[in-house]
C-alpha cells in the first residue's frame, strides 16, 4: 500500500471547489488525512487568493492511476485541459509524495513546490512532519522550521468537512 500526499488548491469559487475536491478524493481513496486549510496570495501571477491544504491517502493504485484520477477530478470540476501553470484554478490537485519515489518524469516527485511554497510545506509538515524528504534527508517539520516565512504570508482558515454529507463549513 502506497502512502500518498496530495496538495489541493482553489481560487475560483473556493468553498464549493474545496468541498468538490474533498468529496471526489473521498470517493476514490476512502479515508483521508487532512491538514488545516490555509489562505494565501497567488504565487507566480496576479489573481485572487487561494485556499490550500494537503491530503494524505493510502492506496493500492499505481502512481499512473492516481495521477489519472486526480486529473479526471480537476477536469470534472472545471479545470481546462490546457490550463496555464500560473493561472487561476477551480481545482488544482498535485501529487507531492508517493511513498519515497524520486522521479523527474512523468511527474516530478517529490514535487519541488514542497521546498518553495509555504502553502505546501506548512500543511505537509502538519500531517507528515516526521517523514523524511527523500532527497533533502530532513523531516518536513525541520524543513518548515527553516523556511523563510516572511516571503509568503499565509493564514490558517477554520473549516470542517463532513464526509457523510459532503458539506464544508468555514
Amino acid at each position: 500500500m502506497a502512502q500518498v500526499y496530495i496538495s489541493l488548491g482553489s481560487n475560483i469559487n473556493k468553498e464549493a471547489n474545496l468541498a468538490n475536491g474533498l468529496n471526489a478524493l473521498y470517493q476514490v481513496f476512502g479515508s483521508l488525512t487532512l491538514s488545516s486549510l490555509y489562505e494565501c496570495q497567488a504565487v507566480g501571477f496576479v489573481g485572487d487568493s487561494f485556499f490550500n491544504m494537503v491530503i494524505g491517502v493510502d492506496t493500492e493504485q499505481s502512481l499512473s492511476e492516481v495521477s489519472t484520477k486526480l486529473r479526471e477530478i480537476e477536469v470534472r470540476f472545471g479545470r481546462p485541459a490546457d490550463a496555464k501553470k500560473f493561472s487561476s484554478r477551480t481545482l488544482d490537485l498535485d501529487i507531492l509524495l508517493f511513498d519515497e519515489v524520486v522521479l523527474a518524469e512523468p511527474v516530478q516527485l517529490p514535487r519541488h513546490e514542497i521546498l518553495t511554497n509555504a502553502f505546501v510545506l506548512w500543511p505537509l509538515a502538519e500531517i507528515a512532519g516526521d517523514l523524511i524528504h527523500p532527497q533533502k534527508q530532513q523531516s518536513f517539520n525541520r524543513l518548515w522550521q527553516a523556511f523563510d516565512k516572511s516571503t509568503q504570508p499565509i493564514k490558517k482558515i477554520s473549516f470542517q468537512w463532513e464526509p457523510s454529507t459532503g458539506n464544508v463549513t468555514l
Side-chain angles (χ1 to χ4, degrees):
M1 179 135 339
Q3 190 173 37
V4 182
Y5 291 91
I6 301 163
S7 66
L8 181 156
S10 176
N11 76 333
I12 298 172
N13 199 7
K14 295 183 282 202
E15 187 173 342
N17 283 308
L18 172 66
N20 290 338
L22 290 173
N23 294 332
L25 290 170
Y26 183 71
Q27 288 174 351
V28 171
F29 298 108
S31 181
L32 307 177
T33 300
L34 305 180
S35 73
S36 298
L37 180 66
Y38 296 88
E39 185 172 29
C40 67
Q41 295 303 306
V43 172
F45 70 100
V46 175
D48 293 336
S49 67
F50 274 80
F51 279 173
N52 290 284
M53 66 185 312
V54 170
I55 297 105
V57 302
D58 292 318
T59 185
E60 296 286 345
Q61 296 178 44
S62 69
L63 173 58
S64 176
E65 290 168 322
V66 171
S67 186
T68 297
K69 294 278 187 192
L70 297 183
R71 185 70 182 130
E72 288 170 357
I73 293 168
E74 289 175 335
V75 170
R76 182 176 358 142
F77 294 109
R79 183 166 174 181
D82 61 349
K84 294 179 186 173
K85 180 172 174 67
F86 295 108
S87 63
S88 291
R89 304 264 196 266
T90 53
L91 192 58
D92 188 24
L93 298 169
D94 293 317
I95 300 170
L96 301 173
L97 299 165
F98 193 97
D99 278 338
E100 294 181 9
V101 172
V102 176
L103 283 175
E105 295 290 331
V107 295
Q108 181 189 49
L109 292 174
R111 194 148 175 110
H112 76 278
E113 285 93 346
I114 293 171
L115 301 174
T116 60
N117 290 319
F119 62 84
V120 177
L121 183 54
W122 189 4
L124 182 59
E126 185 180 302
I127 64 171
D130 292 334
L131 284 182
I132 303 298
H133 189 289
Q135 292 170 304
K136 295 294 182 182
Q137 296 303 306
Q138 293 182 34
S139 73
F140 292 107
N141 274 334
R142 186 175 185 107
L143 290 167
W144 175 241
Q145 289 169 357
F147 189 86
D148 182 358
K149 295 163 187 72
S150 68
T151 61
Q152 295 176 8
I154 181 171
K155 68 178 179 179
K156 203 179 275 194
I157 303 292
S158 184
F159 91 107
Q160 284 191 307
W161 171 65
E162 295 296 328
S164 59
T165 63
N167 293 333
V168 168
T169 307
L170 297 179

